[in-house]
Amino acid sequence: MGLTKQYLRYAASAVFGVIGSPRANITYVTLRGGERGRYIAVAACEHVFIWDVRKGEKVLILQGQKHEVSFLCPSPDGVHVAVGYEDGVVRIFNLLNGESNVSFNGHKSGVTVMSYDALGARLVTGSKDTDVIVWDIINECGLYRLRGHKDLITQALFLKDKNLLVTSSKDSFVKWWDLDTQHCFKTMVGHRSEVWGMVLLNQENRLLTGSADSELRAWDICYLEEGKTAGEPRLKKGKTLLEQNDGDQNDEAEEEAALEERILSCKKAGSILREARDRVVSLTADPKARIFACHGNDAVLEVFTVLSQEEVQRKMIKKLKKAKKKAAKAQEDAGEQTAEPVVERTLKDEIIRLTNIKASAKIRWVDVLAGAGGELKVALLLQNNTVETYSLKTSDKNPTANKTARLTLGGHRTDVRTLAFSSDNLAVLSASGDTVKVWNRSTLQVIRTMACEYALCSLFVPGDRQIILGTKSGKLQIFELASGSLLETVDAHSGAVWSLCLAPDQRGIISGSADKTVKFWEFELIKDQGTDQKRLTVTHARTLQLEEDVLCVKLSPDHRLLAVSLLDCTVKIFYTDTLKFFLSLYGHKLPVLCLDITHDSTIIATGSADRNVKIWGLDFGDCHRSLFAHDDSVMFLQFVPKTHLFFTAGKDKKIKQWDADKFEHIQTLEGHHREVWCLAISPNGDHLVSTSHDKSLRLWERTREPIILEEERELEREAEFEESMAKGSVPVVPGETEGEAAPAGKKTIETVKAAERIMEALELYKEEARKLEEHKYFCEKAGKELPPPKPNPILVAFGNVTPSRYVLDVIKKVRSSELEVSLLVLPFPYVPELLRLFNSYIQQGLEVELVCRCLFFLLKIHFGQITSNQMLVSVIDELKTNTLSKVCQIRDVLGFNSAALQFLQQEIESKEDVTFFADATGQLEEKKRRRRKRERAVLTIA
């Protein structure tokens, strides 16, 4: 059966118009051989853009998949960047090639914070699901999940020298975790509201927290030495009977306090007042923790510096001198002896306000970087799709910040409300609340940027040399593209111009407005008084007065009819020539926000705020079909030129394609993360541009790939099933209770598929073993060697591997971060066979490390069943001896290699020292020779 009607797939081509999404933070990164402080990474919806601040160019795009980026964290070595997403996934990207090979899936909802340890070997992530997970970067797997907070995690920091972690949350608590035992040993309860930010200062001896008020609270951290007996039971003094009863409760409380103070103690050291009155939005320190910056919901960034011990000492000596002078003077005046003055050291003596930086709009995120020579670089991500960078000298007495760069060209400050394509399919127009931009579709570069009023609708004038905008204030603005200048502003209406439509004869336009009128305008060339040049203008021809506000207007391509959508939820059709009433299309429950007419003027489609799209015939105004199109208002609707297919855009973040003849839903274009306001289809139908509240413009291209509707529905059902599979609860490990620490992984469709692949491999292994047994039996019966059975085609495809080797290959292909959860999903009947296989692998020395990891995990989760199974006693016994000997062997090899490498390092260093001295001697000889030559020349001249 042939395809009755072929639809072609539209695929996502590019994301542009977004400079930095405010959902995720901004951070400095270093690219290969690049200088520090030149490149910044920001989120751009689901991608990450790396900008060269100096050139104002995008140098690298880290491609995302579907979900929005929610946090960025560069590794200490500067080679990688960890990217957290709204669905809880973390991916590690390599900045050298922009690729990601490592991904961690453990959180149920968006990642809110990430932090590397000093070596870059571990990564801690916090999420909206209130969990904190520590990941092993080298082994590419999760270490453990820490539970305890009751709200989203706002900050998580490793301590450099101690195996401790400190986390803060919106639940107003700061928790200290001992990572050796994976438990929370201290909870700080000194905050009355959410803790929004936190930094460690003074070689990690001070903690600074920012919450919902204007105070930054400082806490002194005192690490107790191991030798101290803080946690040991103390010797009790003998008590009388009376004292004993009173003292019991006190003792218990003291014991508890002593246990809590075993590792460290925290005491409030004071607080610093911010100038802003609202909550701390972000608080960040430079890598050396000498300077930190914070800001609220406004446009002011406050920068503070932390003085070193020597500077504080000098300051205190000066203070003491002053106090002594004052005391001496007072003594002279009073004539009596006064006590020696005492100067107390306060927080204000250690932390000093450097300066305030006023940005051009509200700040959302900040990153600071201390450079050479006391220079401080500050990068700000603003709420209005802008990035600004500042530089200031911290060594100056009164440092002032200089703006070094501002990235604004590649996007609009406010939401784009209207789009239009030029007639040659090459230029795209986008207009927002303050600017109109024209883009080159193929390069996605801005060609022109012009200031305008709040634009609601737009079009290219035939010839593509001018554009016309309809504004919120009721004006029509005409711009010339060649010069980028505003030619004329026409006071067209007294209300907002909601819709513009080009006449089919291309000689004029019509405009529909909130002042209840539709006006017809004609293009005209007039002489400009100033320049004597001819320029374009529009002259008013006629007006159609209506009862209600006009939301949308459209002329039929045969110029016969005019369709007007009104605020009373109806669409009125008039004859264009006489403006006489023809039809009223009623049926929508809420106003019709968009409509379009097919190229042959036979069908009109209307999209409404009631979430429905209705398809009507233009002969009699009969409703052909009503389609439930979106989960929210339908914002825009347009037919693909020369077809009866149309696209709709909704507030539900989706764009959908429909067939107006068969009333079929063809495809859904998913990509936007907020309401879709508008879309435009190119005149040849090959391209589609859409714009959304997420500030992004997206380009979609028509491919040559056909769409078969049944397959589309099947794929949708499969995706739904996979999602429900992943949402199922993880199997419970018998005998384990829910505690503070839990495994890091989570059940996903990938882990379920991995478990299925392991099961299939084991089934194949069993089948092959059975075949070999049968072959052996028949050989014995026949008394001669029979031809061996045919191996499974899968084994042949993998290069004639043995069945047991195939099982190992399947386990090896499971992602390291998903291995444990995949084994947890594996049913127990498969485990005995797997243990026997593990024994043979260890004997052969195959992937010992991986096999041991799987083995220990399986023993842990199926301990009860394995120990009670008599058949497995001998297997476990063998495994015990083989594993111990093999692991010892590997350890010895590692030790030997490590010692050899250290020896080589010493050899190289000693050689380098010798060559270094040899080079120095050679240079000295060269210098002497030159000096002698110069002296000889001087003597000769003399």
Side-chain angles (χ1 to χ4, degrees):
M1 189 187 106
L3 293 173
T4 49
K5 183 158 188 179
Q6 197 175 32
Y7 303 111
L8 294 176
R9 188 181 298 284
Y10 279 80
S13 166
V15 178
F16 62 106
V18 60
I19 291 165
S21 298
R23 290 298 292 266
N25 58 323
I26 184 170
T27 176
Y28 278 107
V29 291
T30 47
L31 292 187
R32 190 187 324 182
E35 59 193 88
R36 287 173 79 237
R38 179 167 177 177
Y39 302 102
I40 54 151
V42 285
C45 298
E46 70 270 32
H47 305 306
V48 176
F49 288 171
I50 312 282
W51 293 90
D52 181 339
V53 180
R54 191 173 298 166
K55 290 182 181 172
E57 286 175 3
K58 210 181 293 170
V59 288
L60 186 64
I61 298 176
L62 308 178
Q63 295 284 345
Q65 281 158 350
K66 184 181 170 186
H67 295 274
E68 231 177 334
V69 174
S70 59
F71 204 83
L72 304 171
C73 179
S75 64
D77 60 5
V79 178
H80 297 94
V81 63
V83 181
Y85 295 89
E86 275 298 326
D87 60 342
V89 172
V90 176
R91 293 169 74 199
I92 313 286
F93 284 90
N94 188 330
L95 287 174
L96 303 177
N97 54 19
E99 287 175 7
S100 159
N101 300 322
V102 183
S103 77
F104 299 129
N105 200 339
H107 290 293
K108 292 185 186 72
S109 51
V111 176
T112 53
V113 68
M114 291 190 291
S115 177
Y116 276 95
D117 68 354
L119 287 173
R122 289 178 302 172
L123 178 76
V124 60
T125 59
S127 159
K128 286 180 187 165
D129 64 8
T130 75
D131 288 350
V132 175
I133 303 182
V134 181
W135 305 93
D136 182 343
I137 300 286
I138 296 161
N139 204 15
E140 296 176 15
C141 67
L143 292 174
Y144 34 80
R145 178 191 303 266
L146 302 171
R147 297 193 175 115
H149 283 293
K150 301 279 184 287
D151 209 331
L152 75 80
I153 312 297
T154 55
Q155 185 60 286
L157 301 166
F158 281 108
L159 271 73
K160 279 196 184 75
D161 308 323
K162 300 189 168 46
N163 197 18
L164 304 178
L165 178 76
V166 57
T167 58
S168 65
S169 162
K170 263 179 78 177
D171 62 7
S172 84
F173 298 134
V174 173
K175 284 181 179 285
W176 290 86
W177 306 83
D178 182 350
L179 297 183
D180 293 326
T181 55
Q182 295 137 42
H183 83 290
C184 172
F185 65 88
K186 189 174 189 61
T187 302
M188 290 162 58
V189 290
H191 302 89
R192 291 191 191 89
S193 54
E194 303 97 332
V195 182
W196 286 105
M198 177 171 74
V199 288
L200 286 161
L201 309 170
N202 296 6
Q203 278 87 45
E204 301 183 342
N205 285 323
R206 173 158 294 155
L207 184 73
L208 196 75
T209 55
S211 63
D213 51 22
S214 55
E215 272 185 56
L216 292 178
R217 292 171 177 77
W219 310 81
D220 279 336
I221 306 162
C222 176
Y223 300 100
L224 304 177
E225 299 306 312
E226 296 300 318
K228 282 195 180 176
T229 54
E232 287 177 22
R234 286 148 304 159
L235 290 169
K236 292 186 183 175
K237 290 188 288 187
K239 288 183 183 174
T240 60
L241 277 171
L242 282 168
E243 281 175 325
Q244 215 154 358
N245 294 340
D246 296 346
D248 276 356
Q249 277 110 357
N250 298 346
D251 274 351
E252 275 171 31
E254 278 174 34
E255 283 285 328
E256 206 129 297
L259 278 172
E260 198 172 82
E261 303 290 301
R262 183 180 292 175
I263 298 167
L264 54 81
S265 62
C266 271
K267 289 187 179 65
K268 193 170 176 186
S271 59
I272 306 157
L273 279 177
R274 293 160 51 234
E275 284 179 6
R277 289 273 162 268
D278 54 355
R279 77 171 181 91
V280 170
V281 172
S282 79
L283 171 67
T284 184
D286 74 313
K288 290 197 174 70
R290 290 297 309 275
I291 284 159
F292 65 91
C294 71
H295 64 89
N297 272 317
D298 51 12
V300 179
L301 177 77
E302 299 178 51
V303 185
F304 297 87
T305 182
V306 183
L307 298 182
S308 64
Q309 288 297 333
E310 295 82 46
E311 289 168 319
V312 175
Q313 290 296 204
R314 282 204 293 274
K315 203 170 178 187
M316 295 314 292
I317 291 165
K318 271 187 192 171
K319 226 177 175 183
L320 191 61
K321 274 184 185 171
K322 236 184 210 173
K324 277 182 179 172
K325 256 188 194 172
K326 209 173 179 184
K329 203 174 180 192
Q331 200 171 325
E332 271 177 33
D333 295 348
E336 57 187 62
Q337 197 73 20
T338 54
E340 186 77 15
V342 179
V343 182
E344 271 193 25
R345 180 166 160 176
T346 61
L347 195 64
K348 282 179 185 168
D349 297 322
E350 298 175 45
I351 297 173
I352 293 171
R353 182 187 299 276
L354 258 189
T355 184
N356 284 0
I357 298 175
K358 179 96 169 70
S360 60
K362 281 185 180 177
I363 304 168
R364 186 61 192 85
W365 295 97
V366 59
D367 195 25
V368 290
L369 185 71
E375 187 195 10
L376 181 73
K377 290 179 177 176
V378 180
L380 302 175
L381 175 61
L382 309 183
Q383 288 278 23
N384 65 353
N385 196 24
T386 309
V387 169
E388 289 183 348
T389 61
Y390 293 83
S391 156
L392 60 108
K393 278 261 186 279
T394 52
S395 49
D396 293 356
K397 191 147 197 184
N398 295 316
T400 50
N402 303 314
K403 191 183 288 186
T404 50
R406 187 163 186 250
L407 305 178
T408 55
L409 191 64
H412 289 271
R413 306 286 70 75
T414 52
D415 287 7
V416 173
R417 296 312 292 246
T418 173
L419 292 166
F421 254 105
S422 63
S423 59
D424 59 3
N425 309 296
L426 287 176
V428 179
L429 175 155
S430 65
S432 69
D434 52 0
T435 53
V436 53
K437 287 177 185 280
V438 179
W439 308 77
N440 180 328
R441 178 191 54 73
S442 52
T443 62
L444 303 177
Q445 296 298 317
V446 180
I447 307 164
R448 285 277 178 276
T449 300
M450 298 157 282
C452 66
E453 289 189 26
Y454 198 118
L456 295 172
C457 48
S458 63
L459 52 81
F460 276 93
V461 175
D464 297 334
R465 290 181 182 179
Q466 295 90 5
I467 56 170
I468 297 180
L469 300 181
T471 69
K472 204 174 183 177
S473 56
K475 297 183 175 66
L476 293 178
Q477 291 191 309
I478 307 171
F479 290 90
E480 185 172 46
L481 289 184
S483 60
S485 58
L486 175 65
L487 292 179
E488 190 181 0
T489 301
V490 182
D491 286 323
H493 293 272
S494 56
V497 181
W498 284 113
S499 182
L500 283 177
C501 174
L502 188 66
D505 60 4
Q506 303 203 332
R507 288 185 182 170
I509 57 168
I510 54 169
S511 60
S513 161
D515 65 0
K516 304 179 185 179
T517 60
V518 174
K519 291 188 178 178
F520 290 71
W521 308 82
E522 285 171 1
F523 295 133
E524 204 177 305
L525 285 170
I526 56 163
K527 265 194 177 176
D528 198 9
Q529 278 94 22
T531 58
D532 238 24
Q533 297 260 318
K534 281 195 170 181
R535 68 170 176 81
L536 181 90
T537 185
V538 288
T539 54
H540 180 223
R542 51 197 179 136
T543 304
L544 170 63
Q545 185 67 45
L546 292 147
E547 305 292 308
E548 291 281 345
D549 289 18
V550 177
L551 296 177
C552 191
V553 290
K554 205 82 186 174
L555 277 167
S556 65
D558 61 5
H559 212 292
R560 196 169 71 89
L561 301 171
L562 164 70
V564 184
S565 140
L566 301 173
L567 201 60
D568 63 0
C569 312
T570 64
V571 175
K572 301 269 193 284
I573 315 272
F574 299 89
Y575 290 107
T576 311
D577 46 5
T578 60
L579 295 184
K580 278 189 175 170
F581 176 73
F582 171 44
L583 292 168
S584 177
L585 312 178
Y586 55 88
H588 282 292
K589 295 180 182 68
L590 289 168
V592 172
L593 303 176
C594 49
L595 56 88
D596 199 13
I597 300 171
T598 54
H599 66 103
D600 52 11
S601 307
T602 55
I603 293 174
I604 179 171
T606 58
S608 158
D610 64 9
R611 305 182 283 184
N612 291 308
V613 166
K614 290 185 190 287
I615 297 162
W616 318 75
L618 266 181
D619 304 333
F620 312 106
D622 54 325
C623 181
H624 290 180
R625 186 65 64 95
S626 182
L627 305 166
F628 181 70
H630 290 271
D631 297 329
D632 209 331
S633 305
V634 181
M635 297 304 294
F636 204 83
L637 182 152
Q638 191 179 347
F639 277 97
V640 177
K642 301 188 176 51
T643 68
H644 280 195
L645 309 178
F646 65 93
F647 279 96
T648 58
K651 272 191 173 179
D652 61 354
K653 314 173 193 174
K654 293 185 178 78
I655 297 164
K656 295 184 180 181
Q657 191 186 17
W658 309 83
D659 185 338
D661 293 332
K662 295 191 164 183
F663 320 118
E664 295 262 29
H665 170 219
I666 301 164
Q667 63 179 325
T668 303
L669 306 181
E670 289 191 57
H672 282 294
H673 301 287
R674 298 284 177 283
E675 302 93 324
V676 184
W677 295 131
C678 176
L679 57 86
I681 302 169
S682 63
N684 62 7
D686 281 344
H687 297 279
L688 176 102
V689 171
S690 57
T691 177
S692 155
H693 184 42
D694 62 16
K695 299 276 195 303
S696 71
L697 296 166
R698 283 170 192 266
L699 181 66
W700 313 81
E701 279 181 6
R702 183 158 62 186
T703 61
R704 304 266 67 85
E705 182 196 339
I707 289 179
I708 290 101
L709 296 181
E710 285 75 27
E711 278 185 18
E712 283 295 292
R713 302 297 160 264
E714 185 63 35
L715 286 170
E716 278 171 27
R717 281 195 293 273
E718 269 180 30
E720 218 169 278
F721 170 69
E722 286 187 0
E723 214 167 282
S724 66
M725 278 279 289
K727 277 181 182 159
S729 56
V730 176
V732 178
V733 180
E736 281 206 6
T737 51
E738 194 108 312
E740 273 183 331
K746 78 167 184 188
K747 184 181 172 186
T748 61
I749 192 65
E750 280 81 18
T751 60
V752 175
K753 282 179 178 171
E756 281 173 2
R757 283 197 297 273
I758 295 171
M759 282 149 65
E760 281 165 14
L762 286 166
E763 291 286 355
L764 187 146
Y765 170 74
K766 281 180 191 169
E767 184 61 31
E768 291 298 302
R770 192 183 56 76
K771 273 191 208 168
L772 281 172
E773 282 290 316
E774 280 178 8
H775 175 252
K776 202 174 171 186
Y777 172 71
F778 287 131
C779 284
E780 279 173 11
K781 218 172 182 187
K784 60 175 182 180
E785 194 62 39
L786 296 171
K790 267 191 177 174
N792 192 301
I794 295 174
L795 300 177
V796 178
F798 276 90
N800 278 326
V801 291
T802 61
S804 64
R805 192 64 209 244
Y806 173 67
V807 176
L808 183 62
D809 288 344
V810 169
I811 294 171
K812 262 169 73 178
K813 280 177 189 159
V814 178
R815 268 199 184 146
S816 181
S817 56
E818 292 165 359
L819 186 62
E820 270 89 359
V821 187
S822 303
L823 292 172
L824 192 56
V825 177
L826 196 73
F828 182 73
Y830 291 95
V831 173
E833 201 60 58
L834 207 50
L835 292 178
R836 290 187 189 97
L837 278 170
F838 284 170
N839 195 15
S840 71
Y841 298 150
I842 288 172
Q843 276 174 336
Q844 295 165 51
L846 298 171
E847 302 291 337
V848 177
E849 214 172 312
L850 174 70
V851 171
C852 284
R853 187 177 154 198
C854 298
L855 170 65
F856 298 149
F857 186 74
L858 287 173
L859 288 175
K860 180 182 156 191
I861 61 172
H862 298 299
F863 180 76
Q865 281 166 294
I866 291 170
T867 48
S868 58
N869 190 334
Q870 289 297 316
M871 308 276 283
L872 289 175
V873 173
S874 58
V875 180
I876 295 292
D877 222 30
E878 268 182 64
L879 269 169
K880 185 180 163 186
T881 51
N882 292 339
T883 309
L884 282 171
S885 64
K886 263 288 179 285
V887 170
C888 287
Q889 216 173 312
I890 290 174
R891 197 178 59 193
D892 293 346
V893 170
L894 277 174
F896 180 82
N897 289 348
S898 166
L901 285 169
Q902 281 172 351
F903 173 70
L904 280 173
Q905 187 184 359
Q906 286 165 4
E907 288 283 295
I908 290 163
E909 278 175 0
S910 60
K911 268 186 192 166
E912 273 181 355
D913 286 350
V914 172
T915 51
F916 175 74
F917 284 121
D919 284 356
T921 316
Q923 281 168 354
L924 195 65
E925 290 296 322
E926 183 68 24
K927 253 186 196 170
K928 279 181 183 171
R929 199 162 62 248
R930 276 192 204 144
R931 198 184 298 138
R932 280 203 293 273
K933 209 175 183 183
R934 216 178 302 125
E935 282 169 0
R936 271 206 299 276
V938 170
L939 286 169
T940 313
I941 292 162

